[in-house]
C-alpha cells in the first residue's frame, strides 16, 4: 500500500486504497463517498464499574454511528477556510514558496520559474473560478502551512446526490510504501 504524506508535516493525507487520478498534471484527484462508521462503546461494568442495583441493567454493548465522507473521517481532516479569494491565493503562494525552497535545497538545478508559472496558471484557471464552491481541509496536525486538501462536490451520473472530489497538490506530497 502507498501512503501519501504531506512533505511539510508528515500528515497522512490519503492512501492508494482510493482510486487516484492525475488532474492537470499538478494534482492528485480522488473521489470520496459518504459512509457510516459504527463506534462501539463498552459498558463500564464490564471493567469492574459498580452499576447501581436500583437502576435497570442496560445492554453490555452500546453502539453509536457517525456519518461523513470517508476521506475526511479516515485521515482526521479538520475543515478550514479562507476569508477571501485573495487570502486563499496568498496562502497557496506561501505554501508553494515553502515547496520551492525544499526542492531547490534538494536540487540546485531545480527550475523554479517553470514550477511557479505552472502552479500559478493552474490555480488561476482551475481553483479561482470555482473558489466559492470549494471546501478546504487541513491534515491531522492542523498546520496551516501544509498542503491543503481541497474538496468540491460534483454531480456524477448514476448518483442522485453530489459526490465529494478531493484535490491535492502533487508537489506537497511524498509517497511512502507501507
Amino acid at each position: 500500500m502507498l501512503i501519501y504524506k504531506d512533505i511539510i508535516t508528515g500528515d497522512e493525507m490519503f492512501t492508494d486504497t482510493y482510486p487516484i487520478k492525475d488532474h492537470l498534471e499538478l494534482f492528485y484527484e480522488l473521489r470520496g463517498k459518504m459512509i457510516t462508521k459504527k463506534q462501539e462503546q463498552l459498558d463500564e461494568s464490564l471493567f469492574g464499574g459498580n452499576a447501581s442495583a436500583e437502576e435497570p441493567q442496560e445492554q453490555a454493548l452500546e453502539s453509536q454511528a457517525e456519518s461523513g465522507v470517508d476521506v475526511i473521517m479516515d485521515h482526521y481532516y479538520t475543515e478550514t477556510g479562507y476569508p477571501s479569494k485573495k487570502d486563499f491565493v496568498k496562502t497557496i503562494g506561501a505554501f508553494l514558496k515553502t515547496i520551492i525552497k525544499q526542492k531547490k535545497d534538494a536540487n540546485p538545478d531545480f527550475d523554479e520559474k517553470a514550477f511557479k508559472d505552472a502552479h500559478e496558471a493552474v490555480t488561476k484557471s482551475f481553483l479561482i473560478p470555482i473558489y466559492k464552491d470549494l471546501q478546504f481541509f487541513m491534515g491531522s496536525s492542523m498546520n496551516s502551512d501544509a498542503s491543503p486538501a481541497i474538496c468540491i462536490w460534483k454531480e456524477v451520473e448514476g448518483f442522485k446526490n453530489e459526490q465529494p472530489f478531493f484535490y491535492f497538490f502533487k508537489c506537497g506530497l511524498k509517497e511512502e510504501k507501507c
Side-chain angles (χ1 to χ4, degrees):
M1 172 174 21
L2 288 176
I3 299 172
Y4 293 81
K5 292 186 172 186
D6 182 272
I7 64 172
I8 296 171
T9 64
D11 290 346
E12 184 178 307
M13 299 304 288
F14 60 94
T15 66
D16 65 354
T17 58
Y18 305 97
I20 302 167
K21 293 182 181 177
D22 179 68
H23 187 75
L24 302 174
E25 297 182 17
L26 300 176
F27 293 97
Y28 291 116
E29 175 193 84
L30 56 108
R31 186 167 127 199
K33 62 182 174 185
M34 293 298 293
I35 61 167
T36 299
K37 284 187 174 182
K38 291 184 181 178
Q39 297 177 340
E40 304 294 334
Q41 293 183 339
L42 295 176
D43 183 356
E44 288 181 21
S45 66
L46 294 175
F47 299 104
N50 191 6
S52 170
E54 291 100 34
E55 293 180 21
Q57 288 284 339
E58 293 188 21
Q59 287 185 336
L61 188 63
E62 297 176 10
S63 66
Q64 295 179 346
E66 182 181 9
S67 295
V69 178
D70 57 353
V71 180
I72 296 169
M73 293 173 66
D74 292 346
H75 301 286
Y76 307 104
Y77 295 166
T78 300
E79 188 167 8
T80 188
Y82 304 98
S84 67
K85 276 187 207 180
K86 186 177 179 178
D87 292 316
F88 169 66
V89 170
K90 184 178 173 183
T91 302
I92 294 300
F95 163 71
L96 291 174
K97 280 182 186 176
T98 302
I99 300 302
I100 288 169
K101 182 180 178 336
Q102 287 185 358
K103 290 195 177 286
K104 283 191 85 145
D105 289 348
N107 176 10
D109 296 330
F110 173 71
D111 189 350
E112 177 181 345
K113 183 174 176 9
F115 177 88
K116 188 175 179 181
D117 290 349
H119 282 82
E120 284 179 357
V122 168
T123 299
K124 287 178 184 173
S125 67
F126 172 57
L127 296 175
I128 298 302
I130 58 174
Y131 170 80
K132 67 179 175 46
D133 298 323
L134 298 175
Q135 282 181 282
F136 303 96
F137 297 90
M138 295 185 284
S140 60
S141 70
M142 296 192 288
N143 183 333
S144 60
D145 295 331
S147 182
I150 302 168
C151 178
I152 186 163
W153 292 75
K154 299 181 192 179
E155 290 185 16
V156 176
E157 190 174 324
F159 291 87
K160 66 179 182 179
N161 297 321
E162 290 182 328
Q163 301 295 301
F165 285 80
F166 290 84
Y167 296 90
F168 301 86
F169 284 98
K170 285 182 176 182
C171 63
L173 302 173
K174 62 182 174 187
E175 293 179 10
E176 202 172 274
K177 282 193 175 195
C178 176

